[in-house]
Amino acid sequence: MKRLFKTVVFEMSLYYGLMALVLPLIYAVTYHVAFISVFNIEWFAVTLFMYPIVLVLSAIRYSYGRMRRTSRL
């Protein structure tokens, strides 16, 4: 199956977005605090500044899959 780079980036972005929402929720449930108090502007800033790492990881994942596909030929 041929995977495009855009689909890999979208998939990794979706995973990252879910993780950015779920981790504060897990913290709030564990420590019995309100979700709104955990999900604040600092957490939002951290998720935005870490997003380029997601792009780099998706590029590595795409290139690894492409190398595997060409080595099988």
Side-chain angles (χ1 to χ4, degrees):
M1 184 173 125
K2 188 175 181 179
R3 293 181 60 138
L4 297 174
F5 181 70
K6 288 180 184 179
T7 58
V8 173
V9 170
F10 177 73
E11 182 183 353
M12 293 288 287
S13 299
L14 192 66
Y15 292 152
Y16 180 71
L18 286 173
M19 184 182 69
L21 287 175
V22 169
L23 286 178
L25 182 62
I26 292 172
Y27 179 83
V29 169
T30 303
Y31 292 105
H32 305 290
V33 294
F35 177 67
I36 297 300
S37 67
V38 175
F39 194 73
N40 51 16
I41 196 70
E42 288 88 8
W43 182 258
F44 183 68
V46 167
T47 56
L48 281 181
F49 285 128
M50 287 183 60
Y51 186 71
I53 295 172
V54 173
L55 295 177
V56 169
L57 290 176
S58 60
I60 291 170
R61 182 178 174 192
Y62 174 75
S63 60
Y64 176 72
R66 192 170 171 154
M67 284 190 318
R68 281 188 46 211
R69 189 171 52 242
T70 56
S71 66
R72 279 189 261 159
L73 295 176

